[in-house]
Amino acid sequence: MMILSSAKLNVSIQSKLRESYPEITFTFCKGMEEAQSYLDQAEVLITYGEDLNADLVEKATHLKWIMVLSAGMDEMPFHTIQAKGIMVTNVRGIHAIPMAEYAISMILQVSRNAKELHKHEQQHTWGRKVPMREITGGTMTVVGTGAIGQEVARLSKAFQMKTIGVSRSGKDQPHFDQMLTTDHLSEAVEAADFIVSVLPSTKETRHLYTYEHFEIMPSHAIFLNMGRGDAVQSDVLLKALNNHEIGHAVLDVFEQEPLPPDHPFWEHDKVTVTPHLSGISPEYVPRAIHIFVQNLAKYVSGDNDLINRINLNRGY
Amino acid sequence: MMILSSAKLNVSIQSKLRESYPEITFTFCKGMEEAQSYLDQAEVLITYGEDLNADLVEKATHLKWIMVLSAGMDEMPFHTIQAKGIMVTNVRGIHAIPMAEYAISMILQVSRNAKELHKHEQQHTWGRKVPMREITGGTMTVVGTGAIGQEVARLSKAFQMKTIGVSRSGKDQPHFDQMLTTDHLSEAVEAADFIVSVLPSTKETRHLYTYEHFEIMPSHAIFLNMGRGDAVQSDVLLKALNNHEIGHAVLDVFEQEPLPPDHPFWEHDKVTVTPHLSGISPEYVPRAIHIFVQNLAKYVSGDNDLINRINLNRGY
């Protein structure tokens, strides 16, 4: 059996895989250009998912399983893959830890006035009168309650918060004290000290947050968006901030990315801008390979009940 | 019965106490100067603890209980208090929540390179290549395992860390996976990604951390001191930082406070200075009064088993 990787993997990962499965032929390539010529021999393909198309899948006549080392799979030729009876797995949930750390880190920074303290440090000023808030005991509303939202809620519970989740179905999810459906968004944000938005970009989530939602939030509320930038229009959010409807916005995602250098968000004293980095982690590849290794053990034993197996009809 | 307060308390707290106990005479003063003339009538005294001396305690002929709205009681005339059979309670443990939030917030900030990101924001730079680390899954060594250290450990466990506690006795404490005595400090810091020091200032803790301790820490380790500044000499720490023995120092306490404006810590790129604020919280007085209210309910019912009752022989 040949396992082909079009995803560039470091040498220590390559060695470990070869040591664990000496009977398997591993062919590690630096990209699809190099991997292409091995496609017709591969039974398993490891890919970041953006380098496949229907033609390549057609060429891969022995392919049985595609392991996508990514969570998004917008570029995948699912139709052809399904027609050929190939299984697909991905690394769904892999962003939960870094993104939840990001969320907690940022609401702590804003609540504890880190920017002001940093300014004092730069000025060598011993200033103990900087206003600060605790996050402990507050109310955390998470909009989008998948793996990432649940991890935010789990950490929020460690800080003794009340957690409210908002999802399409409103059905119970771990670590949420209360769940509401999206049409109760106003109710969910009215009570919140912190609103963390982890929505994907869909027709339903585009411009979901209206001015009225910000109006109903407490004036000290921190709104954090690490889902997709189109969940709220920049102008709506700016107006809400300028009218003191909320206390602060932490933004990792934007309608236009990179955020243009002349965008008012950069200079706004109630906005913290980060460059779409909440999901970045040095643990990404090790975690992705860990999922692959667990799945490979199942696969070689003939168990096709793989972790994160994609339903090819739905595409997720 | 008269309850006298030499601690300035806000009007809403005053009203609530009066409403809860209409039969008690509450005399709220702005300080001891004003409170002095009522001392001989008071059965209970509420104080921040720094305004008492033996003479005043002698004057307080009906005094049975002193509620100290503070954790430190260095100024208290314990000898006279004990001779007169007066009970003392304090608000021990009240700093646990804000100080644990401080610790987690700061190690997140340093690990996620918040200062660099802030600089990019000020320059309107979309920079996604800033090196960042997760705190999840690391090893947290807490030196000093009282209420504050335990709360740091509890939150660290929520971030899936391994927790090592260091105390004089080395006896088991909640939320620590491993406990070591102080003479095993080297072993405790050798394994640590994060070292949080919450030691009080005593003969044993003065200059506890030597150059050798920093030498043995991992070169990426973050050392955070929020106990007392004399646990480590500035020069020793500076040498360790300059020799790349550790990754970063987060310092809230110093040998000399305020930290002099020309001290090299302010400008050092591996040091974050905060002005002894880890214990500051807007929740301080509400929490202190909450302890008092619980104790008052016991006291009026004749139960002298008060929360945080001080052993006057030991002074804590």
Side-chain angles (χ1 to χ4, degrees), chain A residues 12 23 48 78 113 122 135 143 151 163 172 239 307 314:
Chain A
S12 89
E23 72 283 10
Y48 283 114
F78 280 124
N113 225 330
Q122 288 173 320
I135 70 165
V143 187
E151 180 68 3
T163 51
D172 281 356
K239 188 179 156 199
I307 301 165
R314 296 183 317 189

Side-chain angles (χ1 to χ4, degrees), chain B residues 67-179:
Chain B
M67 172 77 205
V68 184
L69 299 182
S70 158
M73 299 184 299
D74 304 340
E75 313 291 314
M76 293 278 286
F78 279 125
H79 191 74
T80 314
I81 290 168
Q82 187 172 24
K84 301 196 66 180
I86 298 168
M87 291 189 294
V88 176
T89 58
N90 72 356
V91 291
R92 194 169 54 219
I94 201 170
H95 295 301
I97 287 176
M99 290 182 74
E101 276 199 12
Y102 172 85
I104 297 294
S105 176
M106 297 312 286
I107 67 163
L108 276 167
Q109 275 186 48
V110 174
S111 299
R112 302 187 63 87
N113 226 330
K115 281 185 190 174
E116 189 71 14
L117 293 172
H118 186 199
K119 202 196 289 172
H120 285 188
E121 187 184 43
Q122 288 174 321
Q123 297 165 345
H124 302 200
T125 301
W126 186 266
R128 302 184 77 229
K129 300 278 181 201
V130 174
M132 279 188 294
R133 282 234 201 72
E134 290 182 5
I135 70 165
T136 296
T139 295
M140 166 68 79
T141 291
V142 180
V143 188
T145 58
I148 299 161
Q150 287 170 33
E151 179 68 3
V152 173
R154 191 186 67 76
L155 288 175
S156 301
K157 290 308 295 177
F159 285 94
Q160 302 177 49
M161 292 195 209
K162 177 181 176 185
T163 52
I164 302 173
V166 179
S167 71
R168 210 157 26 175
S169 72
K171 74 166 200 229
D172 280 356
Q173 295 291 1
H175 312 300
F176 287 100
D177 297 318
Q178 188 186 353
M179 285 291 305

Side-chain angles (χ1 to χ4, degrees), chain A residues 62-278:
Chain A
H62 296 89
L63 199 60
K64 292 189 179 163
W65 169 29
I66 302 172
M67 172 77 207
V68 184
L69 300 181
S70 157
M73 299 183 299
D74 303 342
E75 313 291 314
M76 293 278 285
F78 280 124
H79 190 75
T80 314
I81 290 168
Q82 187 172 24
K84 301 197 65 179
I86 299 167
M87 292 189 293
V88 177
T89 58
N90 73 356
V91 293
R92 195 170 54 221
I94 201 170
H95 295 302
I97 287 176
M99 290 182 75
E101 277 200 12
Y102 171 87
I104 297 295
S105 176
M106 296 312 286
I107 66 164
L108 276 167
Q109 276 186 48
V110 174
S111 300
R112 303 187 63 89
N113 225 330
K115 281 187 193 174
E116 189 72 14
L117 293 172
H118 186 199
K119 202 195 290 172
H120 285 188
E121 186 185 43
Q122 288 173 320
Q123 298 165 344
H124 303 201
T125 301
W126 187 266
R128 303 185 75 230
K129 299 279 182 202
V130 174
M132 280 189 293
R133 284 235 200 74
E134 290 181 6
I135 70 165
T136 296
T139 295
M140 166 68 79
T141 291
V142 179
V143 187
T145 59
I148 300 160
Q150 287 171 33
E151 180 68 3
V152 173
R154 191 186 66 76
L155 288 175
S156 301
K157 290 308 294 176
F159 285 94
Q160 302 177 49
M161 293 196 207
K162 178 182 175 184
T163 51
I164 303 173
V166 180
S167 70
R168 209 155 29 172
S169 72
K171 75 167 198 227
D172 281 356
Q173 295 290 2
H175 313 299
F176 287 100
D177 296 319
Q178 189 186 352
M179 285 292 305
L180 291 165
T181 55
T182 314
D183 42 311
H184 288 83
L185 182 59
S186 294
E187 193 184 322
V189 301
E190 184 174 12
D193 299 298
F194 315 108
I195 298 98
V196 169
S197 187
V198 275
L199 294 169
S201 176
T202 68
K203 254 182 273 175
E204 292 85 32
T205 63
R206 187 178 155 80
H207 300 173
L208 178 72
Y209 300 95
T210 63
Y211 190 80
E212 290 64 39
H213 290 121
F214 294 102
E215 221 170 14
I216 208 173
M217 291 178 196
S219 61
H220 67 265
I222 300 173
F223 174 79
L224 182 152
N225 189 7
M226 58 179 184
R228 283 293 177 263
D230 63 0
V232 55
Q233 286 176 280
S234 295
D235 292 348
V236 167
L237 185 51
L238 276 170
K239 188 179 156 199
L241 288 160
N242 292 333
N243 290 347
H244 312 285
E245 301 295 355
I246 63 170
H248 203 93
V250 176
L251 304 173
D252 192 47
V253 290
F254 304 90
E255 289 182 295
Q256 190 189 340
E257 292 182 17
L259 186 67
D262 59 347
H263 197 285
F265 282 157
W266 289 110
E267 291 284 335
H268 204 291
D269 63 357
K270 291 183 173 181
V271 176
T272 298
V273 170
T274 56
H276 203 149
L277 52 69
S278 61

